[in-house]
Amino acid sequence: MCGIVGYVGVRQAAPILLEGLSKLEYRGYDSAGIAVRDENSEHVEVVKAKGRLRNLMQMTDSGNAVRGCCGIGHTRWATHGEPSAVNAHPHYSKEKRVVVVHNGIIENYQDIKDMLRRKGYVFSTQTDTEAAALLLDSYYTEPGRSSLSPRERALGAIRDMMIRVRGSYALGILFGDQPGVIYAARKDSPLILGCCEGEMEGHMIASDVPAVLQYTRKVVYIDNLEIACLTREEMHVYNIDCEEIEKPVAEIRWDAAAAEKDGYEHFMMKEIHEQPRAVRDTLSPRIKEAEDGTRSIDLSETSLTDDDLRAVSRILLIGCGSAYHVGMAERYVIEKLSRVPCEVELASEFRYRDPILAQNCLAVIVSQSGETADSLAALRLCKERGVRTLAVVNVVGSSIAREADAVMYTWAGPEISVATTKAYSTQLAALYLLAVKLAAVRGSIDAAREQALIGELLALPEKIERILGDKERLQWFANKMAASKDVFFIGRGLDYAISLEGSLKLKEISYIHSEAYAAGELKHGTISLVEEGVMVVGVATQPELFEKVVSNLVEVRSRGAYLFGLTTYGQYAIEDTVNFTVYVPRTDPLFATSLAVVPLQLLAYYISCAKGLDVDKPRNLAKSVTVE
């Protein structure tokens, strides 16, 4: 991990590589490097630096000091080996015969290193990627391949390497004796190919669309176990048997401005403010209005028919991080409305308990990037066992979207900040639609209830806008609480699910120790951690549980806690208990998560700003987690 860019064409490559890598900074990284080949030179120039990309830019005069029209670049998020210039990518073999950038993880790298050492290879880094680079060199220089053309040798070496290694990878590869050529290969880690025209004539590789967007809108999605060969004039894609295959060219429809800050200090604040639009874009196209004014939910894009939904006897909601928290919230909504039992599964744990899966289950895989390694593995297990899969993802053409039986896109647009906000909100919105549709076709709600719920869904964007219009009070409170060492979030029912996401946001970007607990569990051990001055956030949006949550807040107040209350307008009795209160507009209690999460996002953001931290790129975190 974490970001790859490559370019071969008529322009100088290094400035393009650095600019592309800057568009992938949001993915998280700790070092960066580029490798550029000048056609008039006999060697590949490699430059690497620890720390932020600006260090690499300073070393290379923003790329102007490194000449050549063919190159690859990488931002690394350390897995094997400490963050350092030595361990940074690109990695290469002797005399730079093979130069590689790699996202993913080589699981059997130690076995490969042992085998290569016996052949006389010497390793200079702690990384797993160097094993892949030297393995490629070993295959590429085999005497039996000397009579082949350079391309045939390269394809054969890459194929043999892909067969030998275990793990996940997206690879950008330069061969020292092939100037003006970039090879790429992938398994489970994201990689796209870009087709550049005009003054940019050439081709690109990248981990994600923002890296190529200012240069081209035409991309090719390379699939698992496929190999690409790119020159200035040509793009060829091959399967694992080195047979050339045809790939469709897709057009990216959102523009480069969508991936810029647009006047905001941070991407996170911009994306918080984009939530009304994103939720509206996710909901509105799927809600149809008849001539008589009645509304219905149309999920025909998913290929799930009404009969399919009636036949579902169990739903699995599978995700990691915030996507898992979406599942925690949606379980309450789906079960309450449709009476279909739901289970929420951590994707990283799902496979390891050998789950019992019936064929009339529906497995819903939730992922912003559509490339999350654990979620992708969970999807594949479900498919192997005959369970129908539905992907809820943001990135069009991503691995999870392509491999699932059905897909429901969340139209959040590009999300750059590592801490998710609008992607989380649109995932909630998409699954609200599924919940209401499921309930309607199964007859567990009547027509009047269906119409009321749809009306509440359509009102959510405007209510989120109202919350954003009153954010200054939260900024004042955040400045007051920025010195907190421990924060606890508590709630019951849906409010517990909200607390989980609020706590995650805070710890992600402020580095404050934060935990979320079901409020009723406080007395079973957790309350021993509450002492004078500890901040406790009490979420109380569910009317039938309001008094119980307030009682739990009284318990922690008596032990010295400083209380932040989050509830809906009209529940003013909470002010007798807490020190600071934030109110959100009323909605159907089942949809309260979409509103209550916004103040918690803002709280985390303002505390991080008050501490002077890097809001968009928190330490040690990556946007797209493509390793297990």
Side-chain angles (χ1 to χ4, degrees):
M1 291 170 51
C2 200
I4 286 176
V5 176
Y7 171 75
V8 54
V10 297
R11 295 268 299 273
Q12 291 296 308
I16 295 169
L17 299 178
L18 292 171
E19 180 64 22
L21 291 176
S22 74
K23 303 302 182 184
L24 299 179
E25 284 190 287
Y26 69 92
R27 297 167 71 88
Y29 68 103
D30 49 54
S31 58
I34 58 173
V36 177
R37 173 67 186 268
D38 187 340
E39 291 188 21
N40 298 318
S41 172
E42 295 184 358
H43 73 281
V44 179
E45 185 170 359
V46 176
V47 186
K48 304 193 285 187
K50 179 184 176 181
R52 291 302 183 195
L53 189 62
R54 60 178 174 266
N55 299 336
L56 187 61
M57 289 182 169
Q58 290 171 355
M59 292 174 64
T60 61
D61 185 25
S62 297
N64 296 313
V66 184
R67 306 294 294 174
C69 297
C70 176
I72 52 179
H74 188 270
T75 52
R76 176 179 186 249
W77 185 83
T79 54
H80 296 74
E82 65 183 10
S84 68
V86 171
N87 287 330
H89 297 217
H91 292 294
Y92 47 85
S93 63
K94 185 178 180 180
E95 299 176 349
K96 301 190 180 80
R97 287 187 301 241
V98 178
V99 183
V100 170
V101 291
H102 164 227
N103 282 352
I105 191 165
I106 305 300
E107 294 175 352
N108 60 334
Y109 78 101
Q110 192 60 57
D111 293 339
I112 293 171
K113 290 178 74 170
D114 293 342
M115 179 270 291
L116 291 172
R117 283 192 177 110
R118 291 193 293 271
K119 290 187 174 184
Y121 282 89
V122 177
F123 289 79
S124 56
T125 79
Q126 301 167 307
T127 68
D128 58 331
T129 301
E130 190 181 14
L134 270 57
L135 182 64
L136 266 174
D137 182 273
S138 173
Y139 288 135
Y140 190 65
T141 57
E142 283 182 347
R145 289 198 163 104
S146 59
S147 62
L148 300 176
S149 70
R151 182 174 299 182
E152 289 172 332
R153 276 196 295 146
L155 291 173
I158 295 170
R159 175 201 60 209
D160 291 350
M161 182 274 300
M162 294 170 74
I163 293 170
R164 180 65 184 267
V165 303
R166 296 194 307 272
S168 61
Y169 48 81
L171 297 170
I173 306 164
L174 302 180
F175 290 95
D177 62 352
Q178 295 191 50
V181 185
I182 296 175
Y183 290 88
R186 75 164 292 233
K187 176 181 179 290
D188 295 341
S189 292
L191 194 67
I192 62 171
L193 313 176
C195 309
C196 304
E197 299 174 336
E199 64 177 19
M200 275 293 298
E201 181 187 353
H203 291 95
M204 299 186 72
I205 64 172
S207 296
D208 204 353
V209 169
V212 305
L213 196 55
Q214 73 181 91
Y215 306 115
T216 182
R217 293 177 179 277
K218 295 181 178 180
V219 300
V220 170
Y221 294 104
I222 182 172
D223 287 314
N224 265 351
L225 300 179
E226 291 182 350
I227 306 167
C229 175
L230 310 178
T231 67
R232 185 182 72 182
E233 299 89 1
E234 298 177 342
M235 173 191 294
H236 301 277
V237 181
Y238 304 86
N239 62 22
I240 192 67
D241 296 318
C242 300
E243 300 166 336
E244 188 164 2
I245 54 178
E246 294 293 324
K247 301 290 289 188
V249 177
E251 184 172 356
I252 304 302
R253 300 195 177 275
W254 46 271
D255 59 27
E260 301 297 334
K261 290 181 183 175
D262 196 26
Y264 289 92
E265 185 176 357
H266 299 100
F267 279 110
M268 184 176 180
M269 181 56 90
K270 174 177 181 275
E271 289 156 9
I272 288 172
H273 279 79
E274 288 175 337
Q275 287 177 115
R277 188 274 310 159
V279 170
R280 188 178 290 113
D281 287 351
T282 298
L283 291 172
S284 297
R286 292 152 173 149
I287 296 177
K288 309 299 183 184
E289 185 168 347
E291 292 183 2
D292 62 1
T294 59
R295 300 184 179 108
S296 61
I297 294 171
D298 180 5
L299 299 183
S300 56
E301 68 187 280
T302 68
S303 73
L304 290 170
T305 66
D306 289 359
D307 286 340
D308 291 332
L309 294 176
R310 291 187 192 99
V312 171
S313 63
R314 178 181 169 213
I315 293 178
L316 301 175
L317 298 167
I318 303 172
C320 297
S322 292
Y324 172 75
H325 297 161
V326 168
M328 290 290 288
E330 293 290 351
R331 174 174 62 182
Y332 291 98
V333 181
I334 292 172
E335 290 190 340
K336 181 77 170 179
L337 291 178
S338 70
R339 310 311 298 162
V340 175
C342 275
E343 296 179 27
V344 187
E345 301 280 356
L346 281 167
S348 58
E349 291 291 323
F350 181 65
R351 290 169 294 154
Y352 304 119
R353 64 179 183 82
D354 193 17
I356 300 170
L357 304 176
Q359 290 191 352
N360 55 353
C361 285
L362 175 65
V364 182
I365 317 296
V366 186
S367 169
Q368 188 281 136
S369 67
E371 302 290 351
T372 311
D374 288 313
S375 300
L376 184 58
L379 179 143
R380 289 171 177 166
L381 176 63
C382 290
K383 288 177 66 75
E384 286 172 9
R385 299 193 179 182
V387 173
R388 189 162 192 168
T389 55
L390 169 66
V392 177
V393 298
N394 186 39
V395 179
V396 175
S398 56
S399 295
I400 290 175
R402 293 198 303 273
E403 294 192 28
D405 298 312
V407 62
M408 189 175 182
Y409 285 113
T410 60
W411 302 113
E415 187 177 66
I416 306 302
S417 178
V418 167
T420 183
T421 52
K422 63 177 180 174
Y424 172 88
S425 291
T426 54
Q427 288 164 357
L428 284 174
L431 289 175
Y432 289 154
L433 293 170
L434 177 64
V436 175
K437 178 69 172 181
L438 191 67
V441 301
R442 295 170 69 92
S444 55
I445 58 173
D446 60 22
R449 176 73 167 141
E450 179 187 9
Q451 296 303 304
L453 289 168
I454 292 174
E456 290 287 357
L457 288 176
L458 290 172
L460 286 176
E462 185 273 333
K463 292 177 179 179
I464 296 173
E465 288 172 350
R466 286 168 56 190
I467 297 168
L468 293 172
D470 189 33
K471 60 182 182 292
E472 285 73 17
R473 288 181 66 248
L474 267 168
Q475 186 173 12
W476 171 85
F477 180 78
N479 289 334
K480 180 180 176 68
M481 299 308 298
S484 296
K485 301 297 183 184
D486 300 281
V487 178
F488 299 112
F489 290 72
I490 63 172
R492 290 173 180 260
L494 258 174
D495 290 331
Y496 170 51
I498 297 167
S499 297
L500 287 168
E501 179 62 13
S503 176
L504 179 61
K505 286 282 110 26
L506 185 65
K507 71 181 71 170
E508 279 182 314
I509 64 171
S510 76
Y511 314 149
I512 293 173
H513 170 250
S514 172
E515 302 293 342
Y517 294 99
E521 290 296 298
L522 282 173
K523 291 185 288 295
H524 297 283
T526 306
I527 203 167
S528 66
L529 299 174
V530 177
E531 56 189 24
E532 190 72 29
V534 168
M535 186 164 82
V536 175
V537 178
V539 185
T541 68
Q542 303 300 297
E544 73 276 13
L545 296 171
F546 177 82
E547 291 182 352
K548 291 184 180 296
V549 174
V550 170
S551 295
N552 295 130
L553 290 171
V554 170
E555 291 170 354
V556 293
R557 184 185 66 179
S558 68
R559 288 156 176 84
Y562 191 87
L563 302 183
F564 175 115
L566 175 57
T567 189
T568 56
Y569 282 107
Q571 299 282 23
Y572 302 120
I574 199 171
E575 294 190 8
D576 295 333
T577 303
V578 305
N579 301 98
F580 182 82
T581 312
V582 170
Y583 296 97
V584 296
R586 290 187 174 186
T587 184
D588 189 288
L590 292 175
F591 303 148
T593 309
S594 289
L595 304 181
V597 75
V598 178
L600 300 182
Q601 295 168 347
L602 290 166
L603 177 68
Y605 173 82
Y606 284 129
I607 288 179
S608 182
C609 289
K611 296 180 70 173
L613 301 174
D614 192 339
V615 175
D616 288 330
K617 298 185 284 291
R619 67 189 183 198
N620 301 332
L621 297 180
K623 183 67 175 175
S624 180
V625 183
T626 57
V627 298
E628 296 179 19

